[in-house]
Amino acid sequence: MAKILLAEDEEVLRMLVVDTLEDEGYEIDEACDGQEAIELIKENEYDLILLDYMMPIYTGLEVIQQVRELPEKKHVKIMMLSAKSQQADQQRVLEAGADYFMAKPYSPLELVKRIEEILHGEN
Amino acid sequence: MEKISRYFRQSLTRQFIGLMSLFIVLFLVGGALVLWKQQTLVNTFEAKREQLQQKERYAEQLDRAFTQAFFDARGYLAFGRKEFKQSIYQQKEQVVATMQKLKPLAKTAEDRQLLEEAAAFTSYYFDDLVKKAIADFEAGNIQAVLKASENGGTASIQRFQKQLSEYHSSLVEQIENEYKQLKMTQAQLQYSFLLFIFLMMLLLMSIMRMMAKRIGRPLNAFATAAEKFAQEETDVHWSFANERDDEIGKLSRAFQKMIYSIREKEDSLVAQNEELLAQQDELESQQAELEQALETMQRREEELRRRNEFINGLSNSLDKQEVLDSIVCNICKVMDADRGMIVLLNDKKSYAAFGVSAQGVQQFLHELDNGMYQRLQKTKQPFSVKRELPTSEKGYYEEALYSYDLVLPVLSAQREVEAIMMFSRFRGDFSPHEIEEYERLTKQVSISLQKIRLYEESEKDRRMTQDILNNIQEGIQLVDMRGVNLMMNTQLANFLHVDVNEISEAPYEQWKSLLLQKVVDEKNLSDYLDRVLLHDTLETKSFTYHVKGEKKVIHMYAEPLYRGTERFGTVFVHRDITKEFEVDQMKSEFVSTVSHELRTPLSSVLGFTELMLNKELKPERQRKYLTTIYQEAKRLTALINDFLDVQRMESGRQTYDKKYEDIVPIIQNVIETQKVNTTIHEFMIQKETNRTIVLGDRDKLAQVFTNLLSNAVKYSPDGGKITVRIYEQGDRLAIDVTDEGLGIPAEAIPHLFTKFYRVDNSDRRRIGGTGLGLAIVKEIVKAHDGEIAVTSEVKKGSTFTISLPLVAVETDPQNDVPIDKGMNVIIVEDDRNLASLLEAELSDSGFSVKSFKNGKEAIGAIKAEKPAAVVLDIMLEEGEMSGWDVLEKMKADKELSSIPIIVSSALEEKEKGLMLGASDYLIKPYQPSQLTKTILHMLLKQERQGEILVPVTDEEDK
């Protein structure tokens, strides 16, 4: 089964996503801030990384930039989850190296659907 | 002969030389003749004498020869010696020889007689006598000899000898005669020589005289004539030597010619002269005319010069006083006046005077008001007055001295008298012509005054405009169509670090480069300026730039400038929008943060709800989700409430219902509610003072402590003591809230009270919160004139300290201020609630207090009671006396004026109050304790001044 990293500083939201995805049978790692996320990404191979935008220490954007600088992580799939839903924000995130974008507040079921599409579309 | 005579006639020199030569020749010839004569005489004398001497010598020789022969004959005859006889014959020969020699010399008869006799004797003697004697002797006939001797021999000898001697002496005599003759002739010669010299002298003198005559006389005549001529005598006789051929003649003729020519010339000169004289007369008359014209011109010129000076004086300056001074001074000069002054009528009677004292000016102003002004207003005509000078003005003059005063009204364009000029002259009266002229000058003055007025007005306007431009916040720049700087206000100049004057008229490129240096995005600004100025496209009218090295943001915009319909330039306005920019940025950040903060709980609520709706969930999960939904919804509510609170407080719309509250029960209440949420924390109250009353809003203060205590709980997740310490800090009440939790990193402390700020720390991140709590605390504390401070040490805990102004309502009697219980205070206040509050406050402080709603009643009571102090509201009941009236009335009343009044008003007119005599002024709202303090302070001050005494109360009684 696919392995997913969730970086999100809000505990309740982590719970929401983790519960939903675990129900679907994904293996989930959790990070509470940007630094933790980068460390986990370096150590593990994830099929998909879900990043919150507003996080302590490093923002989601900074995490993307740092990850994309690592040669072996150039192509890891990253989805940005952000309350900044404006077109410009979305654009900036994608330019920074995110592959996907989902605006907060998101529906957990829709998130599952997107993830399935992303992972299965590849398979 | 003719030639020679002409030769001499032609020259005096020749004549003179000729005559002198003749004289010398005559003299030399005469002298030579005399010498020659002399010589001839001497020679003749010498020759004669020689002849005579020769004859004499021959005679002597004869004599000697005879004598010898006698002797010899005698000797022979006596001695018979032959040698004698021989000698006799020798002598005879000698005699014959001598006689031979004498013969040619014998010229005279005497000579010849002698010679004949000598010859006769010789022959007798020698041939006869001697021969016979010798023969006799030889014959020895001595007798015969003797006889012959006796018969005449001897006698003839003797006779001959005598003849000889006579001859000899005749010869000597002849020589002497000759010598005498010579002497005489010589003397005659000498006399004739002297005579000759004398004659020569006479000749010389006659020559000289003649020459002198020939030169001197005509010269004399010439001199006389010349003199006469010089003396311009007409009957001069000129022809005194014309006939002569010599120099004098020539001179005379030349002179005559000259005289004639001079006469001729003189005549022509005289004729010319006459002509000239005629011309001269004409010229003189012309000159007189010209002189007159010149004089007129000079007068005009002088007049013009003075007038020019006057006008220059007027136009040189735009300073009113300077111009007035110049007017008076110059008109005095033009008029030759001794004193003068000008007074403007339409403003503050500005004046300028020349030779008039300030007192004199005042006197004149007074005189103006006493009719002169009215007269001038009516006639609008100048007038002059003659008056005798009083002694004070006369100086050292003894006799009567008059002053001619000329009063000139200066009329404005509306023919109103706007100024009056007065000039005094001691020299003489003002002629009508002069007055007319000076009246014309007043028009100049009027124009000049008008000019000054206009200038002053425009200067005022200009200054105002300049002041406005220099005092507004915006930088303003005016440029012309080519972009040349026309004006730049000080703000912009300071910003560009240039001098306003330096930059004036700077070309576009210059000021542009200065501006670009200051700007971060110079390229865009340069493009913008080019667009506006060079391409004249005003669609992009504004531009925003960031200042290099500063946090400043400037918004600049351009507006075209029109004069009428013609555009003549552009105005640039640079507005510092740093604050707006920051606010804007903050706002957008805030919005973004708020949206984030709101979306997070919303996401949870929506997400979990969706899961619950779409999934079959176990009951535990359902419960967990529902709890989460509930908590998140609560969080959302709290967030929205906090957010609204902050907004309200920041915008100043939050109202506080402030009352005197004891802080302690409020804190206790909060602790009680917080206690419910935690089991691991221990709460403590440390009360170190009894003065715990503050003026505040109970609910808001409760909110402050709720936020602080809940933070303390939240950020000490491992529990621990939470201490609330209440104590006095100076005149403030301080409350510490201390926890033993995570602590706050030092770098975070300054941001702590910023909205949505949350310390970036994963430990803390798990702790929920809105990020608004401390911002709200800060706002509330601020609204209570309080302060908040934080000290913290990471992992040890934090202390939040709030200090609030302490209200001086004493709860501890130990701290009471000693006050005379009999000391009464009257409060004049129409607000009943406030009145009773103040009453309570003052009563508590030991005063006896009465309060009144309106001024009239109050004044009655004040008069009756003479209180120690009056507390006076200004805005009393409508229709009644206002506080100001009460104040004025009291201060006007001698009995009441010393009672101190404390104005208590919402009006911020402290200065007015103090000016009217109030002792102090309290602006509402103030703390009632402030009033007590003020009254006590005032009474104490009065006591020090010795006005009233505050009786000491016996505190021990209490």
Side-chain angles (χ1 to χ4, degrees):
Chain A
M1 208 55 203
K3 196 174 175 187
I4 294 172
L5 172 70
L6 171 65
E8 165 66 65
D9 61 330
E10 288 287 343
E11 198 185 343
V12 273
L13 286 181
R14 276 206 307 277
M15 182 172 87
L16 177 68
V17 175
V18 168
D19 274 12
T20 317
L21 292 184
E22 271 178 356
D23 284 351
E24 299 299 320
Y26 293 108
E27 193 189 335
I28 312 276
D29 278 355
E30 291 176 50
C32 301
D33 57 48
Q35 196 171 2
E36 210 178 324
I38 290 169
E39 278 161 18
L40 284 169
I41 291 166
K42 281 182 184 167
E43 284 162 19
N44 301 283
E45 287 293 322
Y46 293 110
D47 296 298
L48 180 65
I49 298 163
L50 302 175
L51 283 178
D52 182 25
Y53 190 101
M54 301 270 272
M55 279 191 298
I57 306 180
Y58 295 121
T59 65
L61 205 66
E62 287 163 341
V63 172
I64 292 174
Q65 284 162 350
Q66 289 196 24
V67 168
R68 289 303 182 209
E69 274 174 24
L70 304 169
E72 69 275 18
K73 301 291 174 189
K74 273 230 158 75
H75 303 293
V76 67
K77 293 191 176 100
I78 299 175
M79 180 189 279
M80 182 68 93
L81 305 168
S82 175
K84 300 199 171 194
S85 61
Q86 285 180 346
Q87 197 73 26
D89 294 325
Q90 197 175 332
Q91 191 65 34
R92 204 163 56 182
V93 165
L94 294 177
E95 273 170 14
D99 302 290
Y100 311 101
F101 182 88
M102 232 172 136
K104 278 184 179 178
Y106 47 79
S107 138
L109 298 177
E110 208 172 303
L111 179 67
V112 170
K113 232 165 93 191
R114 280 290 299 275
I115 291 171
E116 268 178 8
E117 272 172 24
I118 292 164
L119 295 177
H120 287 274
E122 207 175 59
N123 291 348
Chain B
M1 197 66 211
E2 179 74 13
K3 262 185 187 170
I4 292 169
S5 107
R6 209 169 57 215
Y7 176 77
F8 279 108
R9 270 213 314 276
Q10 272 175 359
S11 167
L12 273 173
T13 322
R14 284 174 198 164
Q15 283 172 26
F16 186 70
I17 290 169
L19 284 170
M20 286 317 281
S21 311
L22 184 69
F23 168 75
I24 290 165
V25 168
L26 279 174
F27 190 76
L28 287 176
V29 169
L33 273 175
V34 170
L35 281 176
W36 174 75
K37 182 71 186 167
Q38 173 90 2
Q39 203 57 45
T40 318
L41 277 175
V42 171
N43 285 346
T44 318
F45 167 70
E46 289 288 328
K48 271 188 186 165
R49 200 180 59 177
E50 189 61 33
Q51 216 174 1
L52 288 172
Q53 278 174 343
Q54 198 71 36
K55 281 184 206 171
E56 195 186 345
R57 266 190 314 269
Y58 291 149
E60 270 181 26
Q61 276 176 9
L62 279 180
D63 188 17
R64 261 189 328 261
F66 279 117
T67 311
Q68 197 65 50
F70 293 154
F71 274 107
D72 287 339
R74 273 176 195 177
Y76 185 69
L77 287 171
F79 305 103
R81 294 180 59 179
K82 280 194 182 165
E83 42 300 5
F84 286 118
K85 197 180 111 181
Q86 234 178 328
S87 179
I88 292 164
Y89 291 110
Q90 271 176 354
Q91 290 309 317
K92 189 193 162 184
E93 277 166 47
Q94 183 77 36
V95 169
V96 172
T98 303
M99 279 195 15
Q100 280 301 319
K101 277 180 190 172
L102 194 61
K103 221 179 221 170
L105 294 175
K107 282 184 181 152
T108 57
E110 198 183 5
D111 294 340
R112 274 177 312 262
Q113 190 191 348
L114 181 69
L115 272 175
E116 283 167 18
E117 276 178 26
F121 180 71
T122 308
S123 51
Y124 157 70
Y125 181 74
F126 290 106
D127 294 338
D128 290 350
L129 197 54
V130 168
K131 244 170 198 173
K132 226 179 159 185
I134 291 167
D136 286 356
F137 177 76
E138 273 164 25
N141 201 332
I142 293 203
Q143 289 307 311
V145 170
L146 286 161
K147 208 187 152 197
S149 163
E150 280 164 27
N151 288 353
T154 305
S156 73
I157 290 169
Q158 278 178 334
R159 206 187 58 232
F160 185 66
Q161 270 188 312
K162 200 185 161 197
Q163 238 177 348
L164 258 181
S165 132
E166 272 175 8
Y167 182 65
H168 188 253
S169 48
S170 137
L171 276 177
V172 171
E173 199 178 330
Q174 260 180 31
I175 288 172
E176 263 174 25
N177 280 342
E178 279 304 317
Y179 185 69
K180 268 180 197 163
Q181 189 76 34
L182 176 72
K183 283 274 169 182
M184 214 171 66
T185 322
Q186 265 182 334
Q188 275 171 0
L189 195 65
Q190 273 167 358
Y191 288 131
S192 58
F193 185 69
L194 276 176
L195 184 65
F196 170 74
I197 285 178
F198 177 68
L199 285 174
M200 287 314 285
M201 285 298 136
L202 276 179
L203 180 64
L204 184 64
M205 272 183 67
S206 68
I207 288 170
M208 298 290 255
R209 188 165 167 261
M210 188 188 77
M211 289 310 291
K213 243 188 198 172
R214 284 186 72 80
I215 297 167
R217 206 175 274 167
L219 272 180
N220 193 23
F222 183 67
T224 316
E227 201 173 350
K228 275 186 178 172
F229 181 68
Q231 283 167 359
E232 299 191 348
E233 278 177 31
T234 44
D235 57 339
V236 183
H237 183 67
W238 292 114
S239 50
F240 47 86
N242 281 6
E243 68 287 355
R244 279 165 63 167
D245 291 331
D246 58 12
E247 288 90 337
I248 297 291
K250 276 182 203 159
L251 190 61
S252 164
R253 282 191 299 281
F255 194 74
Q256 193 172 18
K257 217 182 266 173
M258 191 181 83
I259 292 296
Y260 284 142
S261 100
I262 284 174
R263 282 239 168 106
E264 250 166 63
K265 278 194 186 143
E266 202 175 37
D267 287 347
S268 83
L269 274 174
V270 165
Q272 275 178 18
N273 199 19
E274 264 164 30
E275 206 176 316
L276 279 172
L277 277 175
Q279 280 176 8
Q280 196 184 357
D281 285 348
E282 202 176 325
L283 278 171
E284 265 169 12
S285 69
Q286 278 177 9
Q287 196 185 356
E289 260 171 57
L290 274 172
E291 265 169 14
Q292 211 173 348
L294 188 71
E295 208 176 308
T296 319
M297 253 177 64
Q298 271 172 346
R299 219 173 38 237
R300 285 260 173 84
E301 196 184 274
E302 178 67 12
E303 223 167 80
L304 270 173
R305 194 183 58 74
R306 283 177 171 178
R307 219 182 245 216
N308 272 346
E309 218 168 273
F310 164 67
I311 286 166
N312 279 345
L314 292 186
S315 51
N316 264 347
S317 170
L318 285 165
D319 178 71
K320 182 158 66 189
Q321 195 55 47
E322 215 173 285
V323 170
L324 290 181
D325 284 340
S326 153
I327 287 171
V328 171
C329 193
N330 281 307
I331 295 189
C332 273
K333 264 195 229 165
V334 174
M335 286 185 178
D336 198 11
D338 298 274
R339 308 166 170 186
M341 59 178 296
I342 180 165
V343 177
L344 299 193
L345 296 173
N346 46 1
D347 63 357
K348 292 168 250 157
K349 294 259 163 73
S350 307
Y351 70 87
F354 175 78
V356 184
S357 66
Q359 205 186 341
V361 173
Q362 290 312 318
Q363 220 169 297
F364 179 72
L365 290 177
H366 184 67
E367 198 183 336
L368 260 188
D369 294 336
N370 283 353
M372 190 191 280
Y373 173 63
Q374 283 77 4
R375 171 180 174 172
L376 288 171
Q377 191 62 271
K378 236 176 214 173
T379 61
K380 296 183 169 45
Q381 288 293 322
F383 63 90
S384 78
V385 181
K386 176 185 176 180
R387 64 182 169 91
E388 187 177 347
L389 286 176
T391 337
S392 58
E393 283 186 73
K394 269 163 47 177
Y396 52 77
Y397 280 92
E398 284 180 3
E399 63 275 30
L401 191 63
Y402 293 95
S403 168
Y404 299 90
D405 296 345
L406 177 63
V407 179
L408 291 159
V410 178
L411 302 179
S412 66
Q414 291 76 37
R415 293 211 36 87
E416 291 290 319
V417 180
E418 61 174 336
I420 292 176
M421 298 195 286
M422 173 147 172
F423 296 93
S424 300
R425 190 161 81 182
F426 303 155
R427 175 173 67 80
D429 202 357
F430 294 93
S431 70
H433 168 76
E434 273 181 308
I435 293 178
E436 202 178 309
E437 190 198 325
Y438 302 149
E439 209 183 344
R440 278 200 298 276
L441 287 186
T442 62
K443 276 172 197 147
Q444 294 284 351
V445 173
S446 162
I447 290 167
S448 165
L449 293 178
Q450 175 96 13
K451 202 168 74 182
I452 293 170
R453 241 188 344 263
L454 284 175
Y455 169 75
E456 278 179 347
E457 274 166 31
S458 73
E459 179 63 16
K460 212 169 88 188
D461 285 355
R462 191 193 67 77
R463 223 175 270 159
M464 197 169 75
T465 313
Q466 195 64 44
D467 286 349
I468 289 171
L469 283 175
N470 285 338
N471 283 307
I472 56 171
Q473 301 282 318
E474 282 78 8
I476 289 178
Q477 185 192 15
L478 243 73
V479 300
D480 68 8
M481 292 305 284
R482 288 169 301 140
V484 175
N485 179 60
L486 295 177
M487 192 230 68
M488 186 180 277
N489 71 348
T490 44
Q491 274 75 6
L492 189 57
N494 290 345
F495 171 59
L496 296 180
H497 294 300
V498 288
D499 190 77
V500 176
N501 299 320
E502 239 171 76
I503 198 78
S504 71
E505 296 188 19
Y508 174 46
E509 294 302 329
Q510 192 186 335
W511 63 259
K512 179 174 148 186
S513 75
L514 276 175
L515 184 58
L516 293 183
Q517 280 170 19
K518 301 287 296 180
V519 169
V520 176
D521 32 7
E522 24 187 296
K523 170 87 180 61
N524 287 332
L525 178 59
S526 173
D527 287 350
Y528 165 72
L529 290 173
D530 285 350
R531 270 202 308 281
V532 171
L533 285 173
L534 305 181
H535 309 302
D536 199 23
T537 44
L538 280 172
E539 300 107 64
T540 47
K541 272 187 185 171
S542 71
F543 182 80
T544 304
Y545 60 84
H546 292 255
V547 179
K548 233 182 244 175
E550 284 176 68
K551 260 193 166 172
K552 268 189 185 168
V553 184
I554 309 278
H555 175 80
M556 76 178 285
Y557 62 90
E559 286 291 345
L561 286 173
Y562 290 96
R563 192 172 284 143
T565 53
E566 194 192 349
R567 181 172 169 194
F568 72 93
T570 310
V571 61
F572 286 105
V573 180
H574 299 248
R575 202 166 143 261
D576 187 342
I577 54 156
T578 313
K579 253 193 201 139
E580 287 95 322
F581 185 80
E582 278 173 359
V583 165
D584 210 45
Q585 244 183 356
M586 260 165 60
K587 229 182 235 169
S588 74
E589 234 166 72
F590 180 71
V591 168
S592 143
T593 315
V594 167
S595 93
H596 177 84
E597 294 295 336
L598 290 176
R599 270 166 216 248
T600 307
L602 265 178
S603 292
S604 319
V605 170
L606 284 171
F608 286 117
T609 317
E610 194 181 78
L611 286 182
M612 285 183 77
L613 285 174
N614 290 294
K615 277 189 167 181
E616 292 293 324
L617 296 169
K618 288 178 186 162
E620 312 89 74
R621 262 205 115 166
Q622 282 186 9
R623 183 164 186 78
K624 189 176 118 191
Y625 286 177
L626 275 176
T627 314
T628 310
I629 289 167
Y630 175 66
Q631 276 175 354
E632 288 299 295
K634 260 190 14 191
R635 183 175 149 194
L636 198 59
T637 315
L639 187 68
I640 289 168
N641 282 339
D642 280 359
F643 173 62
L644 291 177
D645 273 354
V646 167
Q647 281 299 96
R648 200 163 47 228
M649 286 168 188
E650 280 187 346
S651 63
R653 279 181 287 118
Q654 176 68 49
T655 53
Y656 295 89
D657 182 15
K658 283 186 190 170
K659 285 176 186 148
Y660 290 93
E661 301 283 357
D662 191 344
I663 201 84
V664 181
I666 298 174
I667 295 172
Q668 278 168 343
N669 270 342
V670 174
I671 290 175
E672 289 311 313
T673 45
Q674 288 298 318
K675 267 184 184 166
V676 180
N677 296 330
T678 177
T679 49
I680 50 172
H681 294 92
E682 190 191 334
F683 292 91
M684 278 180 70
I685 288 187
Q686 228 176 297
K687 183 167 168 272
E688 296 175 8
T689 175
N690 285 324
R691 289 150 56 100
T692 51
I693 307 232
V694 294
L695 182 69
D697 184 316
R698 190 184 181 85
D699 294 341
K700 293 294 164 197
L701 289 175
Q703 195 178 0
V704 167
F705 291 109
T706 306
N707 286 355
L708 288 180
L709 285 166
S710 71
N711 274 356
V713 170
K714 272 195 284 183
Y715 294 104
S716 51
D718 302 328
K721 262 191 225 162
I722 292 171
T723 313
V724 179
R725 181 173 160 237
I726 302 165
Y727 58 101
E728 272 184 67
Q729 198 175 47
D731 59 346
R732 297 173 84 84
L733 182 65
I735 303 116
D736 283 355
V737 177
T738 309
D739 65 51
E740 297 176 334
L742 302 169
I744 305 156
E747 69 270 16
I749 288 179
H751 307 287
L752 221 49
F753 299 97
T754 314
K755 281 178 288 185
F756 297 111
Y757 180 82
R758 291 167 84 177
V759 177
D760 254 346
N761 181 305
S762 52
D763 280 351
R764 301 182 68 109
R765 208 69 187 108
R766 295 198 181 88
I767 298 159
T770 60
L772 292 170
L774 284 178
I776 290 167
V777 167
K778 190 187 158 198
E779 288 296 328
I780 295 172
V781 169
K782 204 167 88 185
H784 282 80
D785 298 325
E787 278 162 19
I788 183 160
V790 191
T791 54
S792 181
E793 204 175 324
V794 176
K795 294 194 173 141
K796 288 253 173 94
S798 312
T799 299
F800 285 78
T801 304
I802 285 169
S803 73
L804 294 167
L806 198 53
V807 176
V809 178
E810 317 299 335
T811 52
D812 187 348
Q814 288 294 314
N815 289 345
D816 270 358
V817 182
I819 287 172
D820 177 14
K821 286 213 168 63
M823 204 168 268
N824 51 356
V825 174
I826 286 182
I827 296 172
V828 190
E829 170 67 71
D830 65 334
D831 182 342
R832 276 210 180 280
N833 292 328
L834 183 61
S836 54
L837 180 69
L838 296 177
E839 217 171 309
E841 160 72 22
L842 293 179
S843 300
D844 283 354
S845 302
F847 292 101
S848 60
V849 189
K850 277 185 186 165
S851 68
F852 295 90
K853 284 202 294 183
N854 73 59
K856 247 184 203 163
E857 285 174 27
I859 286 202
I862 290 163
K863 273 186 179 161
E865 292 194 20
K866 308 268 167 49
V870 173
V871 177
L872 180 63
D873 182 23
I874 295 299
M875 307 281 274
L876 296 177
E877 282 180 348
E878 268 182 58
E880 279 292 336
M881 291 170 81
S882 79
W884 298 129
D885 297 333
V886 175
L887 182 56
E888 278 174 28
K889 210 160 193 174
M890 275 181 69
K891 286 298 160 190
D893 192 323
K894 259 189 197 166
E895 284 181 53
L896 306 180
S897 66
S898 63
I899 298 172
I901 300 164
I902 293 139
V903 177
S904 141
S905 172
L907 299 175
E908 295 197 353
E909 292 190 66
K910 188 170 179 176
E911 273 177 34
K912 184 179 176 187
L914 295 181
M915 208 180 71
L916 286 173
S919 302
D920 212 331
Y921 196 107
L922 294 172
I923 295 164
K924 289 180 190 169
Y926 55 90
Q927 292 171 10
S929 63
Q930 184 71 31
L931 182 63
T932 312
K933 270 191 206 165
T934 308
I935 294 174
L936 286 174
H937 180 71
M938 208 175 54
L939 292 176
L940 210 66
K941 213 161 75 182
Q942 276 191 340
E943 181 196 16
R944 281 201 202 103
Q945 286 169 351
E947 284 186 20
I948 59 163
L949 291 166
V950 181
V952 181
T953 53
D954 35 1
E955 274 306 310
E956 287 76 19
D957 291 356
K958 287 190 172 178

